[in-house]
């Protein structure tokens, strides 16, 4: 798998930019958007997938419509800095559906979690019943989202090379 964008040419970058905007385009639509015929476009997309530039395609859901529009960011600190505690937390969060994202971070805390629940009461129950069961957590600090200003999975790509 290639790890730098130096092997990407201008067409590859255009393909990635267009797919970040709308991954549901047909090959024909994508080819028109990047000014290439369908067959080479299809081959390039397959190569970008194979080389790991494209890792998955997904639908982005409206959290409010599926009744999980309460969003909190939760900083966790382990009781004791240890490999075992870190692994326990990382393993646990992977199986908890309310946790959309988890990052091992530097600084005053060890982990940052992005958590979706129905409302404040549901979040409180989640903290007490789910995270509270992990005895390797020493403390947590939550921030609640008041308004979403920007939310994207799009990565900044270089201007065409």
């Amino acid at each position: 798998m290639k790890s730098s964008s130096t092997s990407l040419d201008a067409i590859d970058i255009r393909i990635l930019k267009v797919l970040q905007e709308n991954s549901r385009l047909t090959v024909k639509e994508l080819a028109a958007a990047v000014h290439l015929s369908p067959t080479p476009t299809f081959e390039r997309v397959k190569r970008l997938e194979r080389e790991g530039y494209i890792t998955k395609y997904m639908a982005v859901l409206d959290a409010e419509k599926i009744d999980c529009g309460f969003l909190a960011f939760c900083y966790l600190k382990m009781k004791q800095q240890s490999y075992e505690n870190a692994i326990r937390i990382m393993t646990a969060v992977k199986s908890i559906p309310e946790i959309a994202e988890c990052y091992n971070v530097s600084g005053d805390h060890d982990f940052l979690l992005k958590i979706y629940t129905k409302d404040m009461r549901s979040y409180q129950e989640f903290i007490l019943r789910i995270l509270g069961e992990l005895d390797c957590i020493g403390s947590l600090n939550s921030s609640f989202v008041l308004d979403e200003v920007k939310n994207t999975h799009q990565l900044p790509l270089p201007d065409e090379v």
Side-chain angles (χ1 to χ4, degrees):
M1 175 163 84
K2 297 183 181 181
S3 61
S4 83
S5 62
T6 57
S7 64
L8 297 175
D9 65 17
I11 295 170
D12 291 333
I13 292 169
R14 283 198 310 262
I15 287 171
L16 292 173
K17 284 181 179 182
V18 170
L19 286 176
Q20 281 194 124
E21 286 288 327
N22 183 357
S23 64
R24 289 191 52 143
L25 293 176
T26 65
V27 171
K28 186 177 178 181
E29 293 167 331
L30 178 59
V34 300
H35 310 294
L36 194 65
S37 62
T39 299
T41 300
F42 176 79
E43 291 169 357
R44 282 175 178 264
V45 170
K46 290 300 170 196
R47 179 181 53 78
L48 291 167
E49 291 170 351
R50 192 173 51 253
E51 292 178 357
Y53 290 100
I54 300 171
T55 59
K56 73 163 99 173
Y57 299 92
M58 59 187 258
V60 179
L61 307 181
D62 184 320
E64 292 286 336
K65 289 187 185 285
I66 58 171
D67 210 17
C68 61
F70 186 81
L71 176 57
F73 288 93
C74 181
Y75 284 97
L76 299 183
K77 191 169 193 161
M78 293 184 282
K79 273 186 181 172
Q80 179 183 357
Q81 292 285 328
S82 73
Y83 177 78
E84 292 77 21
N85 283 343
I87 294 298
R88 287 181 61 207
I89 291 171
M90 289 187 284
T91 301
V93 300
K94 289 177 183 178
S95 66
I96 301 171
E98 292 87 352
I99 300 174
E101 298 175 37
C102 174
Y103 301 95
N104 184 209
V105 296
S106 64
D108 292 336
H109 299 89
D110 300 309
F111 292 93
L112 171 62
L113 309 177
K114 182 178 182 181
I115 301 169
Y116 286 95
T117 62
K118 179 180 178 176
D119 52 26
M120 178 64 86
R121 184 172 304 279
S122 300
Y123 183 75
Q124 179 185 23
E125 187 171 315
F126 171 81
I127 292 297
L128 296 173
R129 293 184 188 257
I130 307 296
L131 292 183
E133 292 295 315
L134 294 172
D135 63 357
C136 54
I137 295 175
S139 65
L140 58 86
N141 186 334
S142 299
S143 294
F144 309 112
V145 174
L146 302 175
D147 188 24
E148 183 177 274
V149 177
K150 181 178 180 180
N151 180 353
T152 181
H153 289 280
Q154 296 181 12
L155 298 177
L157 290 166
D159 290 328
E160 296 172 16
V161 288

